[in-house]
Amino acid sequence: MEIMYSRCCGLDVHAKTVVACLCVEGKKQIRTFSTMTEDLLHLVHWLLTSGCTHVAIESTGVYWRPVFNVLVDCSGSFRTN
């Protein structure tokens, strides 16, 4: 399989938690964060310090909105569609 992005993250957003799978140069790290603002800021810090360039979000309902807002507000470097 061809690697399209060497530093990316997939987020699985739930009502009270966000599970993040960060892939850097083919190695995966999985962490779980709460959906409270302080923890979401820790998530963004982890992604930025890891050099993450792309984030994909999977969510049911509207739980993705606060996560998306924190990602966009804290970083102009993530690609959004």
Side-chain angles (χ1 to χ4, degrees):
M1 180 183 305
E2 179 184 354
I3 295 176
M4 304 279 302
Y5 304 107
S6 61
R7 293 175 179 265
C8 58
C9 183
L11 301 179
D12 189 10
V13 181
H14 305 273
K16 296 186 180 195
T17 61
V18 178
V19 180
C21 179
L22 177 65
C23 294
V24 177
E25 306 295 329
K27 295 182 182 179
K28 296 178 186 175
Q29 297 178 43
I30 299 174
R31 293 188 187 178
T32 302
F33 299 86
S34 81
T35 54
M36 302 303 289
T37 304
E38 184 177 353
D39 251 14
L40 294 178
L41 293 173
H42 288 295
L43 166 63
V44 172
H45 177 74
W46 177 54
L47 296 177
L48 290 174
T49 57
S50 298
C52 181
T53 58
H54 292 75
V55 177
I57 300 174
E58 191 284 321
S59 176
T60 302
V62 297
Y63 299 125
W64 63 271
R65 290 181 179 172
V67 176
F68 176 82
N69 289 333
V70 169
L71 285 170
V72 172
D73 289 346
C74 292
S75 168
S77 64
F78 290 124
R79 182 177 205 124
T80 59
N81 282 341

